[in-house]
């Protein structure tokens, strides 16, 4: 009977401390105020509970929930003059992305040259939402990039693709997956 009473008291104590902790999180109080409230120097049990709650809250609420995997495909570059940028939502929530990816944001990196591009009207378009596990593909015509008019027809070029992803999404997402591969391309008329 005493063990039951002990666990019942422990449960009530933990419940009270949890409610206080949740209230402080809801009110977005500074953790230092909560720390001072508990007067941790007097109670080792409160210290342990505080550390456990901080670990649990950082684990559950600190995870990155917005993650995008990007892949560039140049399979149709020589035949159609199109680079495909595929965006996959590998996170656990819906993400809002632009419906179109401006060709100004993809550049042909030859040497160390990258143009500084500011395109407010042409780069920011309507948005769409992609669900977790869903994929969205942007076809980007190479002839609309900044460097394309400087290329001479019939010549073969080697370059890297550079994607400026600043306007891809308005959310703070973890973006990964783009590989920096050298591409060989012979300029032809893609009409």
């Amino acid at each position: 009977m005493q063990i039951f009473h002990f666990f019942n008291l422990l449960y009530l104590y933990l419940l009270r401390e949890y409610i206080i902790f949740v209230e402080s999180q809801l009110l977005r109080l500074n953790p230092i105020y909560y720390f001072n409230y508990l007067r941790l120097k007097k109670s080792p049990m409160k210290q342990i509970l505080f550390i456990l709650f901080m670990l649990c809250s950082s684990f559950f609420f600190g995870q990155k929930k917005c993650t995008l995997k990007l892949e560039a495909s140049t399979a149709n570059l020589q035949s159609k003059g199109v680079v495909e940028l595929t965006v996959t939502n590998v996170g656990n929530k819906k993400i809002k992305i632009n419906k179109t990816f401006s060709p100004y944001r993809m550049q042909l990196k030859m040497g160390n040259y990258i143009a500084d591009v500011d395109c407010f009207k042409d780069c920011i378009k309507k948005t769409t939402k992609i669900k977790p596990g869903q994929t969205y593909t942007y076809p980007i015509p190479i002839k609309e990039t900044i460097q394309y008019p400087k290329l001479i027809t019939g010549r073969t070029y080697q370059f890297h693709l550079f994607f400026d992803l600043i306007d891809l999404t308005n959310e703070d997402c973890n973006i990964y997956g783009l590989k920096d591969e050298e591409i060989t391309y012979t300029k032809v008329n893609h009409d």
Side-chain angles (χ1 to χ4, degrees):
M1 190 68 172
Q2 290 179 352
I3 293 175
F4 176 73
H5 183 66
F6 172 76
F7 282 115
N8 190 20
L9 289 176
L10 181 64
Y11 171 75
L12 292 174
Y13 178 76
L14 291 174
L15 182 63
R16 187 184 73 116
E17 293 298 323
Y18 179 72
I19 290 171
I20 292 170
F21 178 74
V22 169
E23 286 176 354
S24 70
Q25 291 297 317
L26 291 176
L27 296 174
R28 297 196 181 269
L29 293 176
N30 190 333
I32 294 172
Y33 295 127
Y34 182 71
F35 190 79
N36 288 335
Y37 170 76
L38 292 178
R39 296 184 184 101
L40 292 177
K41 294 180 181 176
K42 295 181 180 178
S43 171
M45 183 66 157
K46 289 181 180 180
Q47 290 177 348
I48 293 170
L49 287 174
F50 179 74
I51 292 170
L52 285 175
F53 283 132
M54 293 304 285
L55 288 174
C56 291
S57 65
S58 66
F59 177 74
F60 288 116
F61 299 114
Q63 295 179 355
K64 293 246 181 215
K65 297 180 181 178
C66 177
T67 306
L68 295 174
K69 180 181 178 187
L70 304 178
E71 295 173 331
S73 172
T74 58
N76 295 325
L77 178 59
Q78 194 61 52
S79 60
K80 297 180 182 176
V82 174
V83 174
E84 293 177 342
L85 179 64
T86 304
V87 179
T88 305
N89 182 358
V90 293
N92 56 5
K93 70 174 188 172
K94 290 181 183 179
I95 301 172
K96 190 185 293 187
I97 61 171
N98 285 345
K99 278 190 174 181
T100 58
F101 191 86
S102 175
Y104 293 113
R105 294 290 187 199
M106 182 185 81
Q107 297 185 32
L108 314 178
K109 186 177 176 185
M110 294 177 254
N112 291 330
Y113 174 72
I114 297 176
D116 187 17
V117 178
D118 290 327
C119 51
F120 298 108
K121 183 179 176 185
D122 296 332
C123 291
I124 301 173
K125 304 283 184 174
K126 294 182 180 178
T127 59
T128 185
K129 288 189 178 183
I130 57 174
K131 297 176 185 176
Q134 188 176 3
T135 300
Y136 194 85
T137 302
Y138 297 104
I140 307 168
I142 193 171
K143 66 181 180 179
E144 295 180 21
T145 60
I146 294 172
Q147 292 88 358
Y148 187 79
K150 297 175 184 172
L151 303 180
I152 300 170
T153 304
R155 280 214 181 149
T156 301
Y157 296 91
Q158 291 181 338
F159 53 85
H160 296 265
L161 293 176
F162 173 76
F163 296 92
D164 186 356
L165 305 171
I166 194 166
D167 294 326
L168 178 64
T169 180
N170 58 1
E171 300 178 33
D172 184 23
C173 292
N174 181 22
I175 297 176
Y176 73 96
L178 281 178
K179 297 176 184 171
D180 189 23
E181 298 174 359
E182 189 172 67
I183 297 162
T184 304
Y185 172 73
T186 304
K187 183 178 179 183
V188 295
N189 191 4
H190 297 289
D191 287 330

